[in-house]
Amino acid sequence: MAEPLLKPKRAPQTRTGLTDTGVKKAADKSARTRAREFALQALYQHLVGRNEADSIDAFTRDLVGFHKADSAHYDALLHGCIEGAQALDAAIVPLLDRPLAEISPVEHAVLWIGAYEFSHCPDVPWRVVINECIELAKAFGGTDGHKYVNGVLHKLAPSLRTAEVAADQAREVHAAEPEIKKGSH
């Protein structure tokens, strides 16, 4: 009788605050991160089920763990994205390499969240918006959906956060310039 094949054990995780698949542990998530997760689930219900915002909101608030979310940010994301869907899509669609109908509902909702935060949440740095959206796409989206979200939001940021992105790029260029020694010609 043949020996059963044993899967090699995964090396223990060395990064703190992450599961062995690289996702943040629930205890380490901020209230805003949780708000984005619940908003994503609610927006998915809206996109797929065409459910009304108020019924989605009531359902979502009853989910386990909602009390740990930033409910004001969740409200802003859910209602702001649904009410501003046409404007958000108008900003996103020109940056897509395919029709919007071919984008998965998860990535579509994540792009809405990113575009909404760029436009309405100036207290959240643009790089944080992109990173949070990448993490949402990794946790809830398709295999490479996070790469697509990253690409689209990186193209969108300069048009919605012009001064902030330009200032960041100027700092990067300045930091990359070699120092010119004084007196050498």
Side-chain angles (χ1 to χ4, degrees):
M1 184 168 3
E3 289 288 318
L5 292 176
L6 297 176
K7 284 176 123 180
K9 286 192 174 187
R10 187 185 302 228
Q13 182 62 256
T14 57
R15 296 176 291 173
T16 59
L18 301 175
T19 64
D20 64 349
T21 57
V23 177
K24 270 187 174 179
K25 290 181 181 176
D28 295 329
K29 292 181 182 177
S30 73
R32 279 224 169 153
T33 295
R34 291 173 192 274
R36 289 181 188 96
E37 289 176 350
F38 284 111
L40 173 61
Q41 293 172 55
L43 291 169
Y44 179 88
Q45 288 180 37
H46 175 73
L47 286 166
V48 174
R50 295 288 168 208
N51 300 331
E52 293 298 318
D54 290 337
S55 64
I56 294 169
D57 189 23
F59 173 81
T60 303
R61 288 178 182 278
D62 284 339
L63 293 175
V64 172
F66 186 84
H67 68 283
K68 294 179 183 178
D70 177 342
S71 62
H73 196 61
Y74 161 80
D75 285 337
L77 291 175
L78 173 63
H79 297 288
C81 288
I82 290 174
E83 291 164 10
Q86 287 183 322
L88 296 173
D89 283 344
I92 294 166
V93 167
L95 307 174
L96 302 178
D97 64 351
R98 62 194 80 152
L100 187 59
E102 292 179 16
I103 303 296
S104 87
V106 171
E107 279 81 19
H108 189 176
V110 171
L111 291 171
W112 272 359
I113 289 171
Y116 181 86
E117 285 193 322
F118 282 154
S119 300
H120 301 283
C121 303
D123 60 313
V124 182
W126 74 278
R127 291 183 186 271
V128 172
V129 171
I130 292 175
N131 187 59
E132 289 285 332
C133 289
I134 290 169
E135 293 304 319
L136 285 172
K138 282 181 181 177
F140 296 96
T143 304
D144 287 333
H146 66 284
K147 295 176 185 176
Y148 193 75
V149 164
N150 183 26
V152 173
L153 292 179
H154 264 286
K155 289 185 222 168
L156 184 60
S159 65
L160 297 179
R161 294 278 186 97
T162 308
E164 185 182 358
V165 172
D168 270 8
Q169 289 171 342
R171 275 194 296 275
E172 288 173 1
V173 168
H174 182 67
E177 290 176 351
E179 287 190 33
I180 299 173
K181 294 186 181 196
K182 291 183 181 180
S184 63
H185 292 293

